[in-house]
Amino acid sequence: MEAFALAARHSRKVKTLKIVLPVAATLIVIAFFGYSYLPRFGAAKVDIIDTTVENGELVMSNPTLDGFTRNNQRYSITAKKARQPVGEPLGTFSLEEIAATIPFGDKDSAQIVAGGGSLDRQSSRLLLDKSIDIETTSGIHAKLQSAEVDLANRTVQSDQPVTIQMNGVRIEAERFETAEGGKKLVFDGGVHIQVQPSEIKRGATDAQEAVD
């Protein structure tokens, strides 16, 4: 009878552990992932849809990160998937199919779409390296091969060829960066400018009508 009772207690413990351990492991992974995904500056909100462990990596599906820049402007980053090796809470997350909205200047914002890249938590930088398109609410359209986005200081820079179109002007350059949070655009290396006077005039007319 004692042996039977002991076996019964052991069976109940095993059944309990089968439920408790997976739940505990999931909570630990989510807590770890949420903590390590926070940038060093300011508070950020992380929405997690699904988190798993695959081949020694934490994999988060459809993550969304909302936070604020140093001057308290909101930014948002989403991705199809985010990955990080287990045991590296301060490392870099690799991201797939990225969409981000960051402040651009004092009143405008920039929509960024990229095929892939990474988020460097230590430096608070979003590094993009696949099919990058940027469109601002002020009418600037940019295509880049790579870009480094400083989330804290609202800047974008690239050391690879870039094409930008705005208000009837097309600019191509080997390097590009923004300054003063997007108030200034700086081009360097093999700069080519194409101007369409009719588009510039049309843009000026539309702007005047908007003011009127």
Side-chain angles (χ1 to χ4, degrees):
M1 292 297 293
E2 290 181 0
F4 178 80
L6 180 62
R9 287 196 298 271
H10 177 72
S11 178
R12 286 195 296 271
K13 287 182 180 179
V14 170
K15 289 181 180 180
T16 301
L17 289 175
K18 284 183 178 180
I19 298 174
V20 173
L21 290 180
V23 172
T26 300
L27 292 176
I28 291 171
V29 167
I30 292 175
F32 169 81
F33 216 108
Y35 168 77
S36 61
Y37 202 55
L38 297 178
R40 292 193 306 164
F41 58 93
K45 176 185 176 183
V46 180
D47 290 328
I48 300 174
I49 303 301
D50 182 32
T51 304
T52 60
V53 177
E54 298 178 4
N55 299 321
E57 289 184 323
L58 293 173
V59 180
M60 182 164 61
S61 298
N62 302 312
T64 299
L65 173 67
D66 295 314
F68 294 88
T69 64
R70 294 191 188 281
N71 61 344
N72 207 36
Q73 289 179 294
R74 183 182 294 275
Y75 68 85
S76 177
I77 303 171
T78 63
K80 183 177 181 180
K81 285 188 177 181
R83 300 174 181 271
Q84 185 189 46
V86 174
E88 296 185 13
L90 300 180
T92 298
F93 292 90
S94 62
L95 305 175
E96 301 174 10
E97 298 186 24
I98 304 164
T101 301
I102 65 170
F104 195 81
D106 293 331
K107 299 181 180 180
D108 295 309
S109 63
Q111 305 289 330
I112 302 174
V113 177
S118 61
L119 176 65
D120 187 337
R121 179 182 179 276
Q122 292 286 59
S123 61
S124 304
R125 281 175 167 79
L126 181 63
L127 309 176
L128 307 173
D129 57 17
K130 294 180 181 178
S131 305
I132 306 161
D133 289 290
I134 300 177
E135 182 173 352
T136 73
T137 52
S138 59
I140 298 174
H141 301 265
K143 288 186 174 295
L144 305 93
Q145 298 178 20
S146 68
E148 180 179 308
V149 183
D150 187 329
L151 296 171
N153 297 306
R154 307 171 298 153
T155 60
V156 180
Q157 67 177 24
S158 176
D159 292 328
Q160 293 187 321
V162 57
T163 299
I164 290 182
Q165 293 180 309
M166 54 183 176
N167 301 327
V169 178
R170 177 187 175 93
I171 303 174
E172 297 178 353
E174 296 177 1
R175 292 176 293 278
F176 161 78
E177 65 179 305
T178 65
E180 299 181 15
K183 293 180 181 179
K184 294 182 179 180
L185 307 181
V186 181
F187 302 90
D188 185 31
V191 179
H192 296 276
I193 301 176
Q194 296 178 356
V195 179
Q196 295 180 327
S198 60
E199 292 296 323
I200 294 176
K201 183 177 180 180
R202 182 184 304 173
T205 301
D206 293 343
Q208 185 60 44
E209 289 177 352
V211 172
D212 296 340

